[in-house]
Amino acid sequence: MTFTVRWPDGVVEECYSPSLVVHEHLEAGTDYRVEEFSRRATYALSIAGDRVQEIFGFACTSAISTTEQIQTRAAAYAPDEVVRVLGMHDGESRARPEQRA
């Protein structure tokens, strides 16, 4: 699945997770402080990576890479600035919440 975020400076970024577990930790259309977003996303990606490890027997480099991507970007902002989760795409629906009826 991918989730689309808008960082405080307006940069829109697609983030990849090998598991739908992100739905349990982030919500489309919701604003999070940078610190909280980074913490939630990192935790969800850790669970996703663990699931890949359990099923396939090897580390998920995609989950690791996305975690590093988020943490690097988050470090560029103040912890209380705002990140917005624009959408979550699991293959069934690619529409952003504001585009759905």
Side-chain angles (χ1 to χ4, degrees), residues 34-68:
V34 169
E35 177 276 326
E36 181 182 7
F37 170 75
S38 180
R39 179 179 49 78
R40 286 173 173 258
T42 296
Y43 183 68
L45 289 163
S46 173
I47 294 169
D50 289 348
R51 289 180 179 178
V52 169
Q53 177 75 41
E54 287 176 25
I55 294 169
F56 298 105
F58 55 83
C60 180
T61 57
S62 294
I64 294 166
S65 177
T66 301
T67 299
E68 291 172 354

Side-chain angles (χ1 to χ4, degrees), residues 1 3-11 15 21-44 70 73-74 77-88 97:
M1 75 162 294
F3 51 105
T4 307
V5 300
R6 183 175 56 232
W7 292 97
D9 60 1
V11 170
C15 301
V21 70
V22 174
H23 284 287
E24 297 173 18
H25 300 279
L26 297 172
E27 186 174 338
T30 302
D31 292 335
Y32 298 92
R33 290 177 301 112
V34 169
E35 177 276 326
E36 181 182 7
F37 170 75
S38 180
R39 179 179 49 78
R40 286 173 173 258
T42 296
Y43 183 68
I70 289 170
R73 173 102 41 203
Y77 306 105
D80 61 344
E81 289 187 85
V82 175
V83 176
R84 182 170 190 83
V85 177
L86 298 174
M88 303 181 93

